[in-house]
Amino acid sequence: MLLVSVDGAWPMLQLWVGTLNADLQSSYFGFTPCSRRDLPRAPMLVSGAAARFSQIFHD
């Protein structure tokens, strides 16, 4: 699981949750699915696997 954030126009902060499979997404109420192209360009890792975060956003 990854939890990343992106600063928006104050006081907005967007949170993105990544799970290993789609079945786990229902545990995160209020989040909606998105495609890989919709992911933010410069997120900050809040919680989760730093190595996986780097693979997705820095490679």
Side-chain angles (χ1 to χ4, degrees), residues 2-54:
L2 293 175
L3 179 63
V4 299
S5 69
V6 177
D7 287 331
W10 189 90
M12 186 63 122
L13 177 71
Q14 291 181 326
L15 294 176
W16 301 72
V17 174
T19 59
L20 292 176
N21 72 47
D23 294 337
L24 297 174
Q25 292 174 356
S26 63
S27 300
Y28 299 94
F29 179 77
F31 287 86
T32 57
C34 72
S35 66
R36 182 157 176 114
R37 67 182 163 91
D38 294 330
L39 291 174
R41 292 187 181 266
M44 296 178 299
L45 180 63
V46 176
S47 180
R52 180 69 179 137
F53 176 81
S54 289

